[in-house]
Amino acid sequence: MYVGRPEGLVRKQQQAAAIAAEIAALMTQIESLGIGPCLPVQGRIAGPSFDIRRTERGWTARA
């Protein structure tokens, strides 16, 4: 949870939104390869030949 000044929170929210847009663009690129969709599945993201999961240390991708 963020602890700090309100303007700091707004800045971090803007950064998070920009990163999320980059992730969405990457997922679109993956799907445009034509080998399958990226789908949310039980708390993870499954794609054609990969799986993205949250771990204790952050997010990890497995092929």
Side-chain angles (χ1 to χ4, degrees), residues 6-21:
E7 58 272 11
L9 176 59
V10 169
R11 185 173 51 256
K12 289 190 180 285
Q13 288 172 330
Q14 291 169 339
Q15 288 175 314
I19 293 168

Side-chain angles (χ1 to χ4, degrees), residues 7 13 15 19 22-23 25 31 38-39 42 44 50 52-53 55 61:
E7 58 272 11
Q13 288 172 330
Q15 288 175 314
I19 293 168
E22 290 177 36
I23 293 167
E31 288 186 342
C38 297
L39 300 169
Q42 297 177 350
R44 60 189 169 88
F50 72 88
I52 299 173
R53 298 173 182 255
T55 67

Side-chain angles (χ1 to χ4, degrees), residues 32-52:
S32 73
L33 295 172
I35 56 175
C38 297
L39 300 169
V41 179
Q42 297 177 350
R44 60 189 169 88
I45 300 170
S49 75
F50 72 88
D51 192 66
I52 299 173

